[in-house]
Amino acid sequence: MIKKLLVGLMRLLPLQKAMIFESHPDMSDNTYALYEELLRRGYQKKYRMYWMKTFAGKADWKLPEGVSYFENQPTGLRETIKRAFVLNTSRYIFDCNSFVNKRRKGQIRFHLGHGMPIKIDLEYSRKFGECDQYMVQSPYWYDIFEKQIQVPEQILCSMGYPRNDVLVHPHALPEWQRDRTSYHKCVIWMPTYRQHRAHRDKALQSPYPYGMPVVEKKEQLLALEKQLEKEEILLLFRPHPVQDLSVFQEEHLPHIVIADDAYLTKYHCTLYELLALTDALITDYSSVYFDYLLTDKPIALTIQDKEEYFQHFTLAFPDYKKAVKGYYVEEFSQLQCFFREIAEGKDSFGEERRMAKETYHTEKAGQSAKEIVDLLEEMYDL
């Protein structure tokens, strides 16, 4: 009753010149790239900016003046009041992973998106709530989002994803680039999850013990390390944040590095800044496939478990192979062949990928953050 009373009183207050930012992990993804554009234009001097802090523990964030955060899972009265105040009085909401619903009339919400779908979790995706704009990467996606996810066509906006701007205009990472000079090539492997810690009902029957699709045995893992050493390739393995890696066995694998959030922190970079400087991608049913098309670099797709996978998730397209173009890997020997091609500088499916890029992206890809802030200024009184 007290909480309802406080919220009711807060909704009587005028909307503040304030913005809410949400992402997973905290301070990342499309929201962070948009936030950086707003900082470049000096909006932290005109507005209060609040990051929604998802994870427990003290935040070691070096935030500029005008920027702070609130706990999305508050543990005390003071934090609870602050959360309620920010959510009920901030005029602008920018989210990309968890859906931050409007609390009152007059709030402006841009859902920046978490990825163009190969797979769709319909139960989750359809809970997006009321938005003023819902970002997609090109008009091609309107039909999929309108019919399958049930997003009204009038709020779909094909300005792309701010996180992808850096894939078109890469940033230098001096420390990382210095440390990788001993390698001829660098490949990043980003599988989507097969086992979700929070959703055991969606677990696949054939978990890969190392979290690497098609690598099923220790002998294969060691053979992969040996090949990487021979070809002078650094493999950055970045498991999906929700992938259960409890059975991952530690081995001495100098050419396979776990590129988790701690790795990004070490090199003071975002995932997409790192992604832009790699030479190839390995993925499967992850939205990073569409993003990486913008780099014009090779992509391998580990789809050994495709039939089982799409018994658990909805495939966004009538046919996976017609929609998703790349080097298909359905057994370990094909993975080895892909690494051999990378070492030799070959790109077997380059032309098919370029045609896919023209379908899934617009010509303006690479300036999404600028385009979105321009829209906010022109149409939403920013």
Side-chain angles (χ1 to χ4, degrees):
M1 289 178 65
I2 294 173
K3 182 180 179 180
K4 287 181 179 179
L5 178 62
L6 285 171
V7 169
L9 290 172
M10 287 173 185
R11 289 178 178 172
L12 296 175
L13 297 173
L15 288 171
Q16 308 292 307
K17 293 187 70 174
M19 304 174 181
I20 296 169
F21 300 90
E22 179 279 336
S23 67
H24 180 84
D26 292 328
M27 297 190 72
S28 69
D29 214 306
N30 288 313
T31 315
Y32 188 77
L34 182 69
Y35 161 78
E36 288 189 307
E37 176 65 19
L38 290 163
L39 291 184
R40 278 190 288 271
R41 301 195 192 191
Y43 275 96
Q44 70 277 21
K45 299 174 183 176
K46 308 173 190 176
Y47 285 78
R48 287 294 302 173
M49 294 182 170
Y50 297 98
W51 275 97
M52 176 182 282
K53 181 172 170 289
T54 302
F55 298 101
K58 186 176 180 181
D60 187 22
W61 300 346
K62 295 178 175 60
L63 300 174
E65 187 175 353
V67 183
S68 60
Y69 67 88
F70 67 94
E71 299 284 351
N72 192 37
Q73 299 180 23
T75 56
L77 179 61
R78 188 172 185 177
E79 291 175 355
T80 300
I81 293 173
K82 181 176 181 179
R83 178 183 183 275
F85 176 80
V86 173
L87 288 172
N88 285 281
T89 63
S90 296
R91 180 164 176 78
Y92 298 94
I93 301 169
F94 305 110
D95 57 356
C96 71
N97 186 62
S98 298
F99 301 129
V100 183
N101 293 321
K102 293 184 182 185
R103 264 55 179 186
R104 57 190 288 191
K105 186 177 179 180
Q107 289 184 312
I108 305 298
R109 177 177 168 223
F110 276 34
H111 181 66
L112 302 174
H114 192 56
M116 295 298 95
I118 294 176
K119 66 177 187 300
I120 306 176
D121 184 339
L122 292 176
E123 182 182 359
Y124 162 78
S125 299
R126 290 176 177 174
K127 295 177 180 178
F128 59 89
E130 182 186 355
C131 304
D132 294 275
Q133 300 287 344
Y134 189 116
M135 297 300 152
V136 295
Q137 292 184 352
S138 79
Y140 168 86
W141 296 98
Y142 288 0
D143 189 61
I144 289 174
F145 275 78
E146 184 181 7
K147 291 182 178 177
Q148 298 194 53
I149 303 177
Q150 301 176 355
V151 181
E153 184 179 6
Q154 63 267 26
I155 68 170
L156 288 168
C157 182
S158 57
M159 288 185 172
Y161 280 179
R163 72 186 184 196
N164 289 344
D165 292 353
V166 73
L167 297 180
V168 181
H169 309 289
H171 299 169
L173 299 176
E175 291 181 45
W176 183 82
Q177 289 169 301
R178 180 198 64 214
D179 287 353
R180 68 144 288 182
T181 53
S182 58
Y183 300 96
H184 176 54
K185 297 284 185 178
C186 176
V187 177
I188 189 164
W189 192 341
M190 296 178 60
T192 191
Y193 60 86
R194 265 72 177 176
Q195 296 80 42
H196 194 306
R197 290 191 297 267
H199 302 287
R200 298 291 180 181
D201 58 314
K202 289 185 168 63
L204 272 65
Q205 293 299 312
S206 303
Y208 299 102
Y210 300 96
M212 296 177 170
V214 310
V215 179
E216 302 179 62
K217 302 175 183 177
K218 180 178 178 180
E219 293 78 16
Q220 292 175 324
L221 183 67
L222 297 178
L224 177 58
E225 165 63 27
K226 188 174 181 180
Q227 181 182 4
L228 295 170
E229 180 181 15
K230 179 183 176 182
E231 308 285 9
E232 297 180 329
I233 296 175
L234 171 64
L235 176 59
L236 299 176
F237 179 57
R238 183 172 175 83
H240 191 282
V242 300
Q243 172 69 38
D244 184 354
L245 293 176
S246 60
V247 295
F248 193 91
Q249 299 176 20
E250 292 292 339
E251 299 286 347
H252 181 62
L253 306 167
H255 294 77
I256 303 175
V257 174
I258 302 297
D260 55 11
D261 289 344
Y263 184 85
L264 299 178
T265 300
K266 175 183 176 181
Y267 289 107
H268 311 288
C269 67
T270 66
L271 172 60
Y272 274 59
E273 286 175 327
L274 179 64
L275 200 60
L277 299 182
T278 58
D279 298 298
L281 168 72
I282 304 172
T283 188
D284 40 51
Y285 321 115
S286 171
S287 63
V288 73
Y289 164 79
F290 298 110
D291 300 343
Y292 203 77
L293 288 172
L294 292 169
T295 68
D296 288 325
K297 295 173 182 176
I299 303 175
L301 298 151
T302 56
I303 56 173
Q304 184 185 58
D305 58 355
K306 177 166 62 71
E307 298 304 320
E308 184 190 359
Y309 195 88
F310 289 109
Q311 291 175 12
H312 294 259
F313 295 94
T314 299
L315 177 61
F317 309 94
D319 186 290
Y320 177 95
K321 287 190 175 181
K322 285 184 179 179
V324 184
K325 300 298 183 180
Y327 192 110
Y328 301 128
V329 174
E330 298 181 76
E331 55 187 52
F332 183 71
S333 62
Q334 292 173 320
L335 180 66
Q336 293 177 304
C337 289
F338 177 71
F339 279 112
R340 199 169 301 122
E341 283 206 1
I342 297 303
E344 294 171 358
K346 295 180 180 179
D347 186 3
S348 299
F349 297 91
E351 186 56 36
E352 288 187 356
R353 279 198 333 273
R354 282 184 278 276
M355 291 175 65
K357 181 179 77 169
E358 290 177 6
T359 299
Y360 298 133
H361 293 276
T362 69
E363 292 180 357
K364 289 188 174 182
Q367 52 184 336
S368 296
K370 176 184 178 302
E371 293 282 318
I372 292 170
V373 177
D374 286 348
L375 177 65
L376 283 160
E377 291 177 341
E378 292 167 13
M379 291 185 60
Y380 295 96
D381 300 320
L382 190 63

